[in-house]
Amino acid sequence: MLEILDPIEIVDLRIAVLTGEDANPPAIAVACDSLGQLDLGWIETGEAPTPWRAAAYAALGETLGTALPIFGYQDLFDEISMYYWDGEIDDEGARQSLIAYHGLSAEELEEQTMPSEMNARRPDWMIGANAAKPAALPKGLREALCQLRDAHKALKRLPSDRNAWHFDTDILYEYVPGIEECSSLPPLTLVPFDEFARELDDVARHGMEMGFMDVCGICPLPDVSRIDDWFASLRLGVQFLLAAQDLVRFDPPNP
């Protein structure tokens, strides 16, 4: 297991073998020990054109959740919306919510973050509409994105009962009593801290106190023959994460 996981450097993963209770078979879980923002490399800090960076960021956002406990900007926005604005997503609705449910005065409203202001803080490369079409990307980047999507499709094709990366809350609760007390928030995010430190701190508070939902996948093994399937699925997931790792480390202006 360690040999298979060893090439992955963008996150720290561990394997846990769980004993089944109430006639449940043993299970193997893949968990994530990394916490905070995923290192986005050139996508966040490089000098490549914004459409290239946006295309890479969008691809990571669309695929990484299949293998990693990770959340993106829309997840953060939805959490903040429920936390502060009672689910409202526009400024006027947020103002009315703050008045009705929090009793804020006009002066206090001026100090509050509104949905439009939060959205406006997104760097251009975080906005999917700015992503270049594949034909407009340099060959190396286009190939890296194709490798990511192909590896993702292969992982998605696995049957859930033979997939090391399949996450099922009900199954997890059966094998790890008390885990429902932890935050439902994943420990990893694609949202940059530099722009959204306050919001990330707000939604992560429960997780910092009670723990995050850090499981990537859990797979019961009712029969010894399933072990080979589990190892095969583990390798497919690692291939997918390595494709994501290659994308993050690939700097288009300096391939």
Side-chain angles (χ1 to χ4, degrees), residues 3-4 49 79 102 123 142 146 154 162 228-229 234:
E3 184 178 345
I4 295 171
E79 289 281 338
H102 299 276
R142 188 166 62 248
C146 284
R162 298 169 184 267
D228 288 341
D229 293 333
L234 182 68

Side-chain angles (χ1 to χ4, degrees), residues 25-243:
I28 305 181
V30 182
C32 176
D33 284 337
S34 297
L35 178 67
Q37 180 194 338
L38 188 76
D39 182 3
L40 296 171
W42 68 276
I43 300 170
E44 182 175 7
T45 61
E47 299 179 356
T50 294
W52 300 2
R53 298 160 71 188
Y57 185 77
L60 292 174
E62 293 164 6
T63 60
L64 274 181
T66 300
L68 294 179
I70 194 167
F71 66 94
Y73 176 76
Q74 189 59 51
D75 301 303
L76 175 65
F77 183 89
D78 292 344
E79 289 281 338
I80 292 295
S81 172
M82 294 302 300
Y83 192 81
Y84 286 110
W85 313 315
D86 196 44
E88 299 291 343
I89 60 174
D90 60 74
D91 289 4
E92 183 56 31
R95 290 190 187 95
Q96 294 304 318
S97 173
L98 289 168
I99 293 170
Y101 297 102
H102 299 276
L104 268 60
S105 66
E107 292 78 10
E108 290 171 323
L109 282 175
E110 293 297 323
E111 301 174 358
Q112 298 298 310
T113 298
M114 291 291 122
S116 63
E117 187 273 329
M118 182 174 169
N119 284 329
R121 269 188 275 139
R122 288 177 297 170
D124 290 343
W125 51 265
M126 286 185 66
I127 300 173
N130 292 333
K133 300 295 184 183
L137 296 172
K139 180 181 178 182
L141 178 55
R142 188 166 62 248
E143 290 176 347
L145 288 168
C146 284
Q147 289 174 0
L148 177 72
R149 296 196 182 280
D150 288 346
H152 180 248
K153 289 176 182 176
L155 188 59
K156 291 280 286 183
R157 284 195 293 265
L158 292 173
S160 60
D161 62 341
R162 298 169 184 267
N163 183 358
W165 307 90
H166 177 67
F167 179 83
D168 187 306
T169 303
D170 292 335
I171 294 177
L172 183 64
Y173 288 170
E174 291 180 9
Y175 283 87
V176 188
I179 197 171
E180 65 272 10
E181 299 297 327
C182 78
S183 171
S184 61
L185 192 74
L188 286 174
T189 184
L190 285 166
V191 180
F193 270 91
D194 285 350
E195 284 78 12
F196 297 98
R198 175 187 171 188
E199 288 80 6
L200 289 167
D201 284 344
D202 284 345
V203 301
R205 188 173 296 117
H206 183 204
M208 295 300 291
E209 295 173 354
M210 303 299 293
F212 294 91
M213 188 60 71
D214 61 357
V215 175
C216 305
I218 180 168
C219 183
L221 301 175
D223 187 276
V224 67
S225 64
R226 295 282 185 91
I227 295 177
D228 288 341
D229 293 333
W230 184 87
F231 270 105
S233 70
L234 182 68
R235 290 188 175 91
L236 278 179
V238 167
Q239 290 172 12
F240 164 62
L241 292 177
L242 289 176

